[in-house]
Amino acid sequence: MNLRVSGSRLVAADGTPVRLRGVGLGGWMNMENFITGYPANESSMRDAVRDVLGDERAEAFFDRLITSFFGPGDAALLAEMGMNCVRIPVNYRHFESDERPMEIIDSGFRHLDRVIGLLGEHGIYSVIDLHALPGSQNQHWHSDNPTHVASFWRHRHFQDRVVHLWEVMADRYKDNPWVAGYNPVNEPGDVSGRVIGPFYDRLVKALRAVDPGHVLFLDGNTYSTDFSIFREVYENTVFVCHDYALAGFAHGGPYPGYTRGEWVDRGHLERAFEKRTAFQRETGTPLWVGEFGPVYTGDPAVDEMRYQILSDQLEIFDGHEAGWSLWTYKDVGLQGLVHADPAGPYMSRFGDFIAKKKRLGADRWGSTMEESGDILTPLHQLVETEFPGWTPYPWGARYQTDDLIRHILIAQALLPEYASLFGGLEDGEVTALADSFALDGCVRRERLIELLTANLT
């Protein structure tokens, strides 16, 4: 019997309340640049690596990486910590190709099935999160978008494909009790705000026709912040907020203290949370934070402030009985509970390149927005002076300029250099790169693991 929504809570078949708390499995079936160390977006990176390794060797590398990235030991670690949920981001490209739309790639499910099974063996629920949709549902790299245009909302064709894919997914998992539910659109960015509401109506109806039992986890518009687009409170549905703390970003200031002119302390965190969950509290639906979590710098004093941010957020969530999914489980060192060993094969080969990306601020997630300031500051000043009324969606001119220059232009210019580092490697060396992300090749961020475990147990 599946979990279901009962008032403001999720409950098991016997009516026992279940508060889902765990991690997001970012960088796995939806890869992200700051998580595994490449530049730009996933499909562009895969193309660049394929040009160097060839089709077969590239496919073997990526399959091995996905296999190594999450295995039995990872599921056991999360269970030992007391977690009962993993949000699993996936890219549509595993299940359907742009060259053959509407034709499902059944083999694309093998890793998803494997990990859902591993988690279920440890009593851990999975939330399947479609993180990258055809045409891109938002303006950034994490929807595998090589541009700044979310074309998903402009073309009915892309929407038709997503409805079809979710019908297939729902049919596949409708009888699986360890699938907590479906998170069908991660962080949508519909500029007009007019397409998303009717699309959700259509998608919910299609999903319910196939699988009336599983919970739906629906993100608000503008990166899960705007819930005014919902015209009704769907049955058996959780409306998902994301709650990143301003002072927890790479450009965050001291905590408590000022970040970009705004004072951030525990009170600020609680007010932000209450604002972001106003819709859920007004409608009496469950509170679940689909993503949150600070980034870490390597500076012990700064990172201790980041742990305090996290600790305060967890206390706030506890006070509101909110479930949560921390971003993210595993990476190359920015946020993960565990990260690739700096002395291991992957970081030994790509460490200098990752440092170059950091120096250039090429990754949106991890940039302080100050890198190469001598070059970019005049550009920001030009835009501010000449176009003072320009406020592009979603976050305004300052972020848009950085996105276009750093996170698209510079990031894409870095792709050949990243791919070239695969050149000249024997098959065993390529395998060793992938295996660097296996748990026994990773370093644990013990302070973070201890903090989370104390909250969960």
Side-chain angles (χ1 to χ4, degrees):
M1 186 70 175
N2 301 324
L3 293 180
R4 59 184 173 83
V5 171
S6 177
S8 62
R9 292 179 171 181
L10 288 167
V11 298
D14 61 359
T16 303
V18 177
R19 187 173 161 217
L20 296 178
R21 294 181 291 173
V23 292
L25 188 51
W28 183 58
M29 287 190 77
N30 186 76
M31 293 184 180
E32 295 194 44
N33 48 38
F34 74 94
I35 295 180
T36 51
Y38 66 85
N41 63 302
E42 180 179 358
S43 57
S44 296
M45 176 273 291
R46 283 176 173 262
D47 288 344
V49 172
R50 191 176 296 111
D51 287 343
V52 173
L53 288 180
D55 291 346
E56 290 186 9
R57 297 182 75 214
E59 183 59 35
F61 167 72
F62 288 116
D63 188 69
R64 181 73 176 218
L65 176 60
I66 291 174
T67 302
S68 299
F69 199 94
F70 198 92
D74 298 284
L77 172 61
L78 298 179
E80 289 166 11
M81 293 176 63
M83 294 186 176
N84 66 355
C85 178
V86 171
R87 179 172 176 255
I88 304 179
V90 298
N91 190 319
Y92 79 94
R93 296 176 191 275
H94 287 282
F95 314 108
E96 189 209 65
S97 145
D98 289 336
E99 291 75 25
R100 305 177 75 89
M102 297 289 189
E103 295 185 18
I104 297 299
I105 304 169
D106 193 67
S107 61
F109 286 95
R110 68 190 188 282
H111 286 298
L112 184 56
D113 290 346
R114 173 178 66 85
V115 167
I116 289 171
L118 284 175
L119 293 170
E121 290 172 9
H122 289 276
I124 299 174
Y125 291 100
S126 296
V127 173
I128 303 171
D129 151 40
L130 192 57
H131 217 76
L133 280 60
S136 302
Q137 78 280 9
N138 62 42
Q139 291 75 18
H140 291 102
W141 80 97
H142 48 85
S143 60
D144 197 11
N145 192 343
T147 76
H148 65 296
V149 178
S151 294
F152 177 81
W153 308 106
R154 298 184 173 196
H155 299 282
R156 172 78 179 217
H157 164 75
F158 294 135
Q159 298 160 33
D160 292 346
R161 288 166 60 183
V162 166
V163 171
H164 177 248
L165 176 56
W166 271 115
E167 287 173 332
V168 171
M169 283 206 176
D171 186 59
R172 189 180 191 93
Y173 297 111
K174 63 185 177 184
D175 297 319
N176 191 322
W178 289 112
V179 173
Y182 313 127
N183 188 186
V185 186
N186 176 68
E187 294 193 340
D190 174 14
V191 179
S192 73
R194 294 190 296 269
V195 182
I196 184 171
F199 174 73
Y200 266 140
D201 288 345
R202 177 189 176 201
L203 181 62
V204 169
K205 183 178 180 181
L207 274 165
R208 292 293 190 226
V210 176
D211 179 359
H214 272 100
V215 176
L216 297 183
F217 294 81
L218 301 185
D219 287 21
N221 196 28
T222 311
Y223 297 67
S224 206
T225 64
D226 174 14
F227 296 90
S228 66
I229 51 97
F230 291 107
R231 300 182 293 184
E232 64 176 288
V233 177
Y234 309 112
E235 187 179 357
N236 205 27
T237 296
V238 173
F239 296 93
V240 181
C241 88
H242 291 183
D243 192 25
Y244 288 104
L246 180 62
F249 291 121
H251 63 265
Y255 180 80
Y258 286 101
T259 292
R260 300 201 175 275
E262 189 168 351
W263 179 263
V264 182
D265 58 8
R266 193 185 189 284
H268 180 281
L269 297 182
E270 187 146 25
R271 288 190 298 275
F273 172 78
E274 289 176 347
K275 180 180 179 181
R276 290 166 180 168
T277 59
F279 176 84
Q280 292 86 334
R281 289 179 292 109
E282 289 166 3
T283 55
T285 53
L287 299 180
W288 195 63
V289 182
E291 289 183 22
F292 76 109
V295 301
Y296 302 99
T297 66
D299 180 325
V302 174
D303 286 351
E304 192 56 42
M305 288 188 279
R306 302 297 165 87
Y307 293 129
Q308 188 60 53
I309 291 172
L310 178 60
S311 180
D312 286 350
Q313 285 190 295
L314 292 173
E315 285 187 4
I316 291 165
F317 299 163
D318 287 344
H320 289 80
E321 297 187 2
W324 47 262
S325 174
L326 181 76
W327 195 260
T328 184
Y329 170 57
K330 184 181 287 186
D331 64 3
V332 292
L334 192 68
Q335 278 189 291
L337 278 64
V338 299
H339 58 83
D341 188 342
Y346 188 88
M347 293 303 291
S348 294
R349 189 154 190 91
F350 291 96
D352 288 344
F353 177 82
I354 292 170
K356 180 176 181 177
K357 277 204 309 169
K358 183 176 181 180
R359 173 171 60 82
L360 294 171
D363 296 344
R364 173 74 182 278
W365 206 251
S367 168
T368 64
M369 302 175 69
E370 304 297 338
E371 299 90 351
S372 304
D374 56 332
I375 297 170
L376 291 182
T377 297
L379 178 59
H380 287 300
Q381 291 173 342
L382 174 69
V383 170
E384 186 177 336
T385 301
E386 297 291 347
F387 317 108
W390 186 52
T391 56
Y393 181 95
W395 313 125
R398 178 68 173 82
Y399 285 91
Q400 184 85 330
T401 304
D402 258 18
D403 283 341
L404 292 169
I405 301 300
R406 294 187 200 277
H407 315 311
I408 296 177
L409 176 61
I410 291 175
Q412 291 178 5
L414 283 165
L415 280 167
E417 182 176 347
Y418 175 80
S420 71
L421 293 170
F422 287 88
L425 296 178
E426 300 293 334
D427 286 352
E429 293 174 303
V430 174
T431 298
L433 294 179
D435 287 348
S436 297
F437 288 93
L439 185 60
D440 60 6
C442 289
V443 176
R444 301 188 184 199
R445 194 182 295 275
E446 295 293 354
R447 179 79 172 85
L448 177 57
I449 291 174
E450 291 169 4
L451 192 158
L452 292 168
T453 304
N455 177 265
L456 290 161
T457 55

